[in-house]
Each structure stands twice: as C-alpha cells, then as structure tokens.
Amino acid sequence: SIVQRRCLRAARDIKAGETLSREMIDVLRPATPGAIRPPEISKVIGTRALHDIPSGKELRWLDLGE
C-alpha cells in the first residue's frame, strides 16, 4: 500500500505579514511536491507570510520570510 505523505497546510486564511503560530498550521494529506514537511514545523512557527495564503493551501518556503 502507498503511504500517503503529509505536508503543512494553512489551517485558516493567513494574511500577508502575519506571524505563523501552531494554530495556523494543519498537517494533512496528501503532500504536494515542494510543500513543507511535518518535521520542519518548528522552523515554520515564527516566520511571516510574505503574501496572503488561503485556508487549506500547502505551505512552501517561498511563501514565508522572517
């Protein structure tokens, strides 16, 4: 059987400039190529959205900044 990998997704609409907290991140299947993987969640918390990220969208490093 194929193990469905998970990735990090926006748990709600995230506005540009918002700082990401754990509550704003869902760990869901399937993992989209290029999406941030669950083991990296601690690196994502505290970063800021560079632009609006709609709820359910996978998180990518190019969407996030300091």
Side-chain angles (χ1 to χ4, degrees), residues 6-12 14 20-29 36-38 41 55-59:
R6 296 167 189 263
C7 72
L8 304 184
R9 294 180 181 274
R12 63 165 172 83
I14 300 170
L20 273 76
S21 65
R22 178 63 187 88
E23 295 71 39
M24 295 158 74
I25 304 165
D26 274 338
V27 180
L28 295 172
R29 299 183 179 96
I36 302 171
R37 316 280 310 154
I41 193 166
S55 179
K57 181 102 170 70
E58 73 276 3
L59 300 178

Side-chain angles (χ1 to χ4, degrees):
S1 67
I2 295 168
V3 174
Q4 285 267 0
R5 292 178 168 280
R6 296 167 189 263
C7 72
L8 304 184
R9 294 180 181 274
R12 63 165 172 83
D13 290 337
I14 300 170
K15 296 283 178 220
E18 273 194 288
T19 300
L20 273 76
S21 65
R22 178 63 187 88
E23 295 71 39
M24 295 158 74
I25 304 165
D26 274 338
V27 180
L28 295 172
R29 299 183 179 96
T32 309
I36 302 171
R37 316 280 310 154
E40 300 183 284
I41 193 166
S42 62
K43 297 181 200 162
V44 172
I45 294 166
T47 61
R48 281 210 316 236
L50 298 180
H51 47 79
D52 292 351
I53 304 171
S55 179
K57 181 102 170 70
E58 73 276 3
L59 300 178
R60 299 172 181 269
W61 288 117
L62 48 83
D63 298 326
L64 307 174
E66 295 304 313

